[in-house]
Amino acid sequence: LSATDPDFGQVVAVDRTLGLFNRAWCVAELAAASSMGMRQFMKLSSKKVVDQQIEEVRHLDVRKMQAARQEDVAEILGKIPDIDAFNAGLIDLVFGKQAL
């Protein structure tokens, strides 16, 4: 749909612990949508959640994600062409105007 409908996007609901960013297959979905050029919007429970974990958010790094199988992490990271740029995009989603 995102290829044919410019208004189509991905809404990312983030848990209070921000654990989504540490879960390999959640990150894989974010990376896939990003690589397709899909618009992404972050839904956070509150600004307070981000404020309480501000340092963790500022240093989001998908290389720290976890999965039951380490091969999954390697596979997902292998599909992200520029990990530093992807990390910067995640941080921008949390702090930027796309955050709902």
Side-chain angles (χ1 to χ4, degrees):
L1 280 172
S2 67
T4 59
D5 184 351
D7 293 326
F8 187 82
Q10 179 184 50
V11 176
V12 182
V14 181
D15 58 302
R16 291 176 194 262
T17 65
L18 306 180
L20 169 125
F21 301 113
N22 296 317
R23 298 180 62 198
W25 289 107
C26 293
V27 171
E29 289 186 22
L30 295 173
S34 176
S35 71
M36 289 187 283
M38 187 182 301
R39 295 177 345 148
Q40 294 173 298
F41 303 92
M42 200 64 62
K43 178 64 177 162
L44 303 161
S45 61
S46 71
K47 183 180 180 310
K48 182 179 177 182
V49 167
V50 175
D51 291 345
Q52 289 173 336
Q53 300 176 67
I54 193 102
E55 287 306 311
E56 181 180 335
V57 174
R58 283 190 180 143
H59 298 100
L60 282 174
D61 189 341
V62 295
R63 288 173 280 237
K64 298 176 186 175
M65 67 182 160
Q66 301 172 355
R69 296 177 342 123
Q70 196 58 35
E71 301 87 27
D72 291 345
V73 173
E75 177 185 339
I76 293 163
L77 289 174
K79 292 180 180 181
I80 301 173
D82 184 339
I83 292 172
D84 291 329
F86 182 77
N87 286 336
L90 285 179
I91 293 165
D92 186 52
L93 272 175
V94 173
F95 289 115
K97 59 185 170 189
Q98 294 97 332
L100 301 174

